Structures are given as C-alpha cells and as structure tokens.
Amino acid sequence: MKSVLITGGAGFIGSHLCALYLERGYKVICMDNLITGTKDNIASLFDDKNFSFINHNITTPIHIDGDVDMVLHFASPASPDDYLLYPIQTLKVGSLGTHNCLGLAKAKKARFLLASTSEVYGDPLVHPQTEDYWGNVNPIGPRGVYDEAKRFAEAMTMAYHRFHKVDTKIVRIFNTYGPHMRLKDGRAVPNFITQALKNEPITMYGDGSQTRSFCFVTDLIDGIYRLSLSDLNEPVNIGNPNEITIKELAFSVIRLTQSKSKLKTKPLPKDDPRQRKPDISRAKEKLKWQPKIDLEDGLVLTVEWFKQHV
Ligand code: UDP
C-alpha cells in the first residue's frame, strides 16, 4: 500500500485530496497546523484506519516514521484576506515549508507535488495564461507575500528536481470553489453565497468588471490526481477556462439562491488582477484532463453545502 503525506490536508483543497487518495487505496497522512484549515473538513475520515492526522507547522522540520511514497504540499493560507492576516506565515510556509517538504521527499525517495497558483502570473499581461508566461507580480504589494512565496516554492522545487533528481510536479491552481470553503473565507464565491443566503448586501469590489474563471473542486482534484501519477515535471495549469466577470458571478449567486440581496460596491483591493483565465492545453494534451462541471451546476452544489453550514 502506497502512502501519501498531504500538507494542508485539513484545508479546503487538501481535505478533498485526503478523501480522494483514501478512496484510491492510499494510506493518507494529513498534516496541518489548523491556522486556516479545520478538523471539520476531515471529521468523516478519522474512522478510516488508513488515515492519520498530525498537527504540525511545516515551517519547522518534519519527521515521519515509515515510508512515504508521495508528498503533496498544499499547506498555505490561500485567501487574499488571509495573506493580510498572516503575511509572515504565508511567506514562511511557501519558502521554509516547501524546503522542509522537499527535504522529506528527497530523504524518503518520494514524489513531490507542489500546489502552486495562478497568482504566479500576477496581474497578467498575457491572456489567457499559458505555463510559459513569466508573470507580472508586484513583489512588495499586499499579495506579494503569497505570489512571491509560491514563485520561490516553484524555483526551489525545480532546483530539487534538477540538482537532487527528485521527481517533482507543479500544479498551478486557478480559482476553485466548492464544499469545505470557510463561510468567512474572504474569497468571492464563499462571501457571495454566505451574504446571499443571509439576504445581506453582496460586497462587490470595484465595478465588478474584473474577470476570473472558476473551477469546481472535484474537477480540480481529478486533475491533481492525474498529474501526481504522470511523468511530467513542468508546471501544469489546472482550472476551468470559463471566464466571467465578478459582477456576473454576483448575479448568478443571487439568482440561484433566490436571494433578496443587492450589490454593495467596496474599493478594489490593491493589485487585484484585472483578468484571469487558464490556458489548459497542456493538461488536456498530457493529462487527458478537462473540467466537467459547469459553473451553474457547481454553484448549486456549493450553495447546498453552504445552506447546511450558514
Ligand atoms: N471580490 C469581490 N467581493 C468579495 C470578494 C472578492 O468583489 O467579497 C473580488 C476580488 O476583488 C477579485 C475577485 O472577486 O477581483 C476574486 O477574488 P477572490 O478573493 O475570490 O480570489 P483572487 O482571484 O483575487 O485570489
């Protein structure tokens, strides 16, 4: 039986990965320090004898007894609100945390997969974003703590691949949504759904003309699973290329929840990317992956989950 260590395993994406790898017959070691993750996300997994949880801050050295075949490094605050709240932790988990995870992968002769992000492209000047675009990032802005940590993490990952011959993978994750997002996560989808369900004003930042492309979480983790088993070492974008404006997203959420909420404009955060859409040609060609769940269906599933938790 193969064993996989998932850092950030109690977070939004990490918890879905824990469930998926258990389902596919892996022994799963979930590691999290619970600053943004929660045990609620993994509560249903504790009965599985192949699941274990370790509360650990991976910016300090990681010790695991026994074999580890794969390290999936998903630990990091990931909401712009959280980068403001935890700027130093965000930088440390992307740099020191990634170094510790790579060191563990090297020692255990394990595969390593880094959760990177579309934020490495910053406020992109190339649209849609292909993996060979180097990005347009402000290193000293409020988002710089996340963007630069992930860019450093990618550089460190490639260095371990080239120098230590670790079998590494990098997934660049675009906006993702679904069950297990925190109600007060701060990102657009959970904010809008929570506000709509409470008939409170929908906080639209700026004029809402900025775009994003939202991927449902089950599609995302299917792409990550395929990448983890592939022989690819170059970065791969995983996301849904269906691009919409934030204003359109707000109206979709209001409609699907039959809410009485109205839009309330708030200032656009500094360095908020104007547009974002993944070019997924590489994932299609090399992983035979593409998203299956359209935004409408994904939002309905997400609203159902939020209704039980608001
Ligand atoms: N946004 C918004 N209202 C909110 C939260 C976010 O208008 O309550 C906007 C935000 O300014 C950005 C987009 O929605 O343009 C997506 O933001 P999110 O935080 O979800 O992810 P990002 O892609 O910026 O990391």
Side-chain angles (χ1 to χ4, degrees):
M1 181 172 230
K2 297 228 182 225
S3 105
V4 55
L5 170 69
I6 304 180
T7 75
F12 163 45
I13 295 173
S15 58
H16 286 279
L17 286 171
C18 288
L20 179 72
Y21 281 82
L22 282 172
E23 206 182 286
R24 304 284 158 100
Y26 286 76
K27 189 176 151 220
V28 171
I29 307 160
C30 167
M31 188 170 273
D32 206 299
N33 68 347
L34 304 175
I35 68 165
T36 57
T38 161
K39 277 193 179 173
D40 293 346
N41 285 340
I42 46 171
S44 63
L45 308 180
F46 277 95
D47 286 342
D48 193 318
K49 65 178 187 335
N50 293 321
F51 180 77
S52 57
F53 173 75
I54 303 173
N55 187 329
H56 180 69
N57 178 349
I58 59 156
T59 63
T60 63
I62 306 167
H63 301 285
I64 303 281
D65 292 330
D67 290 343
V68 175
D69 299 287
M70 214 188 279
V71 177
L72 307 181
H73 176 30
F74 279 72
S76 177
S79 159
D81 278 9
D82 288 332
Y83 325 148
L84 296 177
L85 211 52
Y86 306 111
I88 316 284
Q89 289 97 324
T90 302
L91 280 160
K92 284 175 74 177
V93 76
S95 54
L96 306 177
T98 301
H99 187 214
N100 287 330
C101 289
L102 280 161
L104 181 83
K106 175 172 164 261
K108 300 279 185 185
K109 299 190 176 13
R111 280 186 169 203
F112 174 84
L113 186 148
L114 172 69
S116 187
T117 166
S118 54
E119 285 281 329
V120 299
Y121 303 123
D123 190 2
L125 306 176
V126 166
H127 194 73
Q129 291 78 56
T130 49
E131 289 90 348
D132 54 12
Y133 176 48
W134 292 352
N136 177 38
V137 172
N138 174 5
I140 58 165
R143 302 174 89 100
V145 297
Y146 183 65
D147 302 9
E148 296 295 8
K150 290 292 187 183
R151 288 166 69 94
F152 175 91
E154 288 200 6
M156 183 65 99
T157 299
M158 290 312 295
Y160 265 68
H161 174 61
R162 294 195 182 108
F163 191 75
H164 289 309
K165 311 289 178 223
V166 176
D167 185 6
T168 61
K169 329 270 159 209
I170 297 173
V171 56
R172 291 189 180 146
I173 299 171
F174 283 67
N175 293 69
T176 302
Y177 67 100
H180 295 187
M181 287 187 109
R182 293 164 306 164
L183 306 183
K184 294 203 169 118
D185 175 278
R187 281 176 282 193
V189 173
N191 274 10
F192 291 177
I193 293 179
T194 304
Q195 291 158 349
L197 290 176
K198 293 179 166 176
N199 293 308
E200 290 172 357
I202 304 280
T203 54
M204 185 178 74
Y205 302 162
D207 64 3
S209 63
Q210 68 273 32
T211 69
R212 294 293 187 274
S213 310
F214 294 95
C215 184
F216 191 64
V217 65
T218 54
D219 278 334
L220 177 91
I221 60 168
D222 175 39
I224 292 168
Y225 183 75
R226 288 168 190 245
L227 176 62
S228 75
L229 300 184
S230 78
D231 56 7
L232 289 187
N233 299 120
E234 58 199 358
V236 182
N237 289 339
I238 299 282
N240 190 320
N242 173 28
E243 183 184 12
I244 61 162
T245 67
I246 291 305
K247 194 175 198 169
E248 285 169 329
L249 174 71
F251 282 127
S252 293
V253 170
I254 291 174
R255 180 170 48 77
L256 291 170
T257 50
Q258 297 172 322
S259 172
K260 296 188 182 65
S261 295
K262 300 272 175 272
L263 299 191
K264 179 182 170 191
T265 307
K266 287 194 148 191
L268 192 67
K270 185 164 166 38
D271 299 333
D272 197 278
R274 286 291 317 148
Q275 53 181 2
R276 183 181 289 155
K277 168 182 172 154
D279 180 315
I280 58 165
S281 312
R282 186 174 288 172
K284 273 185 176 165
E285 187 198 324
K286 305 261 172 83
L287 304 176
K288 307 286 172 244
W289 176 87
Q290 63 180 43
K292 296 192 189 92
I293 303 200
D294 67 24
L295 184 62
E296 188 94 0
D297 293 342
L299 283 177
V300 169
L301 292 167
T302 309
V303 166
E304 282 314 307
W305 188 84
F306 270 69
K307 272 185 187 162
Q308 288 157 27
H309 293 84
V310 162

